Amino acid sequence: MKFLPILSIAFSFIVTTPAFVQEPMVLAKAASVSIRNTPTKSPTTFVFQAFTSDYRLAEITEEMAGEHFLGSVVAKKLYLLDEVYTSEVAVVPGNPQSKMVVKKPAIYNSVRRIEKYLTKSVKRGQIQAESATADLNKVLDIALSIISADTGSFEAAIDAANDDPQRIFLFTKCVTLTY
């Protein structure tokens, strides 16, 4: 009776050993197949529900928006961006001082950086004004549309982007708006 548990353990070891021997070969074959058949890595696409902001732009006058190097439409959208993303909050009740609070600072700050980058690039002659205006308009449309969406993964991708051309690529090529 004392040998029965030992015998059953030995028997189960003998039965399962061939399966363990074949596993490394199967894994090696699967790894070699997956390396050959891996598709090229495509950029992550972010899909957001969007609403048109044309009715809000019609309410903004040129005096309110001011002038911009890339046109009056860009100036109106930047004014609307500031209006939507920022608000002033009193520091202490009764104190006239206030502080600026930014909703979704990763998106707001990246849009501002893209705007400065495109303006400087046009002034230096590195980019045509028409393409810079089109890119900035698309970036602003996306930023204005996703203010109320869950953008946690998109903000993480923006923070991971190293430079402004990558941020422009994220906004213009990796975001899909559904109306």
Side-chain angles (χ1 to χ4, degrees), residues 9-165:
I9 292 172
F11 180 74
S12 64
F13 180 76
I14 291 171
V15 171
T16 58
T17 301
F20 289 129
V21 171
Q22 291 178 359
E23 257 185 28
M25 293 187 330
V26 170
L27 290 175
K29 183 171 178 152
S32 66
V33 169
S34 66
I35 290 171
R36 283 184 265 138
N37 293 334
T38 55
T40 59
K41 186 178 178 184
S42 62
T44 305
T45 302
F46 303 97
V47 179
F48 298 110
Q49 184 71 28
F51 301 100
T52 183
S53 62
D54 292 339
Y55 69 93
R56 292 188 287 180
L57 289 177
E59 297 171 355
I60 299 171
T61 63
E62 290 186 14
E63 291 81 28
M64 292 168 58
E67 294 181 9
H68 194 273
F69 180 73
L70 296 175
S72 63
V73 175
V74 170
K76 287 182 179 183
K77 287 182 181 180
L78 284 171
Y79 177 82
L80 188 59
L81 182 83
D82 284 337
E83 189 176 290
V84 170
Y85 274 88
T86 61
S87 61
E88 287 192 23
V89 177
V91 176
V92 178
N95 191 350
Q97 293 180 343
S98 62
K99 66 178 181 177
M100 185 72 66
V101 177
V102 178
K103 299 175 194 170
K104 301 186 181 189
I107 294 173
Y108 178 78
N109 293 335
S110 66
V111 170
R112 283 302 189 172
R113 287 181 62 135
I114 288 170
E115 184 253 335
K116 287 179 185 176
Y117 169 77
L118 289 174
T119 302
K120 286 181 182 178
S121 297
V122 169
K123 287 182 179 178
R124 291 179 187 157
Q126 297 170 343
I127 301 175
Q128 296 292 323
E130 294 81 19
S131 66
T133 303
D135 286 344
L136 188 56
N137 273 323
K138 182 158 183 162
V139 167
L140 287 168
D141 286 339
I142 290 169
L144 291 170
S145 296
I146 63 176
I147 184 67
S148 61
D150 179 24
T151 58
S153 59
F154 182 60
E155 290 178 36
I158 288 173
D159 289 336
N162 296 331
D163 57 357
D164 295 325

